[in-house]
Amino acid sequence: MRENLTDFIQWFCDLLWGWPMVIALLGTHLFLTIRLKFPQRKLLKAIRLSVTPDKSAKGDVSQFGALATALAATIGTGNIIGVGTAITLGGPGAVFWCWLTGVLGVATKYAEALLAVKYRQRTSEGKMLGGPMYALEKGMGMKWLAVLFCIFTVVASFGIGNMVQSNAISLLCYESYGIPHMWSGMAIALCAALVVLFGVKGIARVCTTFVPLMAILYILGCVYILFVNGTFVWEALKLILESAFDPKAAGGGFVGGTIIMTARYGIARGLFSNESGMGSAPIVAAAAQTRNPVRQALVSSTGTFWDTVVICALTGLVLVSSILAYPDITYSDGAILSKEAFDKIPYIGAPLLTFGIITFAFSTILGWCYYGERAMEYLKGKKWMLVYRGIFIVAVFVGAVVNLAVVWNLADIANALMAIPNIISLIFLSGIIARETKKYLWEDRLDDVE
């Protein structure tokens, strides 16, 4: 019976994250990119806005604080191991499709944040609440779908946003340094408790400092590895581009299937990594201090750029160039590929991998705690906040000491089910998104107050 249930969960997970979800998410990316006249063109303006404080505007945290919290939840183990998995299953060409997904996903992340700010509401205590659940309820009158979204968000917060992340940290600490799972689990839970018990402002305060530091150090580490692999970087880049459209061009021991296989794995990992379309990031975007919905939408859209277009692309180039530089690397598994590739780099390789996984995973725990809290507050009210936080912290410890094969699949399922109601709101409210974009962006009125 238990084995049958495990098989069913695996089957259902594969079904949800097969072509239907890939087509739904990528189709939404393309639709919004075209309807909003390629908001990717405004990326430099968006980056500038993200570091420009707007303290006089309404909101709980700064625009950068909201972005940093969203990035904390988005940048996770998928940026390292997920990219390795895409390469092992789809070949080096999967890196290109992963990157392209990030470029197109900028439009969807923009649209999500716009709706979150447009339909956010202020509580009796003066706090801002928003996200797909409020867009579904207030914009479409579909409260039942909003409730489903929140249920899936709470489930996902304990899965991909909690237990699987603490498990990745404890497993790495045990295999690399012999630290018992229980000790690392207690340390992670304690660190998480010290942050999440202070609520959104505490999480945002830590993420504002922590996320840029960890991202910059990881990027610098990748640049150093590419310098070490210098003679193979251009060859790796050519291989990624050529095998994206002709997988057999990869040759050697690389996967040599079809373009469809290469594109599928690259797109799927890109979608899963940047979370554009899943509805998670707009929950914190709604708390931002911003004059109008479009300003924060632009700021939020940069999250997909940093996560996928920069970090995932760098990781992919590091892995492919390392495989070319060291033919003895095996790549039957994404985690093994990542570990062996980084281990080949003297002095900095193994520590960088450890640093990346630990910091990325811990930041994901912080970001997803906020998402789960807001979803729980929508479902049950503020009185459940401390209960949720307590259970969340306990789950961090549990995730570090148990086997999570089934939890991974349940987490993937919850993520996919979150995306469905969010995509519905993006499509049916796209007219409002276009209207707001025209008013503030196309007519150059970004400084206007809503």
Side-chain angles (χ1 to χ4, degrees), residues 134-375:
Y134 293 93
L136 287 164
E137 179 185 351
K138 297 169 69 176
M140 298 178 62
M142 302 180 72
K143 185 175 176 64
W144 66 273
L145 201 54
V147 169
L148 283 179
F149 173 83
C150 287
I151 292 172
F152 298 142
T153 301
V154 171
V155 174
S157 74
F158 285 104
I160 194 64
N162 182 323
M163 297 176 71
V164 297
Q165 303 297 332
S166 61
N167 187 265
I169 295 174
S170 67
L171 190 62
L172 178 68
C173 290
Y174 178 76
E175 292 184 348
S176 301
Y177 307 105
I179 300 174
H181 295 282
M182 181 172 291
W183 289 110
S184 55
M186 291 174 62
I188 303 164
L190 177 61
C191 290
L194 292 174
V195 178
V196 303
L197 291 178
F198 289 96
V200 60
K201 291 188 177 180
I203 293 173
R205 194 177 300 117
V206 172
C207 291
T208 300
T209 303
F210 184 61
V211 171
L213 178 63
M214 75 174 192
I216 289 171
L217 289 176
Y218 181 75
I219 290 171
L220 289 175
C222 286
V223 170
Y224 170 78
I225 292 176
L226 293 177
F227 176 77
V228 173
N229 293 345
T231 56
F232 297 92
V233 171
W234 179 245
E235 186 179 347
L237 185 60
K238 284 173 52 181
L239 184 61
I240 288 170
L241 294 175
E242 290 173 359
S243 57
F245 303 97
D246 181 13
K248 294 180 180 178
F254 281 108
V255 174
T258 64
I259 294 178
I260 292 177
M261 180 189 297
T262 299
R264 174 186 172 181
Y265 287 116
I267 291 170
R269 296 322 302 177
L271 293 172
F272 192 79
S273 173
N274 62 52
E275 297 181 12
S276 293
M278 289 185 190
S280 50
I283 295 175
V284 69
Q289 296 167 341
T290 186
R291 301 184 190 188
N292 56 67
V294 172
R295 282 178 73 98
Q296 183 56 36
L298 286 169
V299 172
S300 294
S301 71
T302 64
T304 299
F305 169 77
W306 294 120
D307 174 85
T308 306
V309 180
V310 176
I311 293 180
C312 282
L314 272 175
T315 302
L317 197 55
V318 163
L319 294 179
V320 175
S321 65
S322 294
I323 291 172
L324 294 175
Y326 308 98
D328 59 324
I329 289 179
T330 57
Y331 38 94
S332 58
D333 176 83
I336 294 174
L337 168 58
S338 300
K339 187 176 187 305
E340 291 193 7
F342 279 88
D343 280 348
K344 290 292 185 181
I345 308 302
Y347 308 115
I348 195 177
L352 178 63
L353 179 65
T354 301
F355 170 82
I357 290 179
I358 290 177
T359 57
F360 287 7
F362 183 71
S363 68
T364 299
I365 291 173
L366 298 182
W368 271 94
C369 179
Y370 178 76
Y371 296 159
E373 276 191 23
R374 296 286 77 81

Side-chain angles (χ1 to χ4, degrees), residues 90-102:
V95 176
F96 169 81
W97 293 106
C98 181
W99 177 84
L100 182 63
T101 302

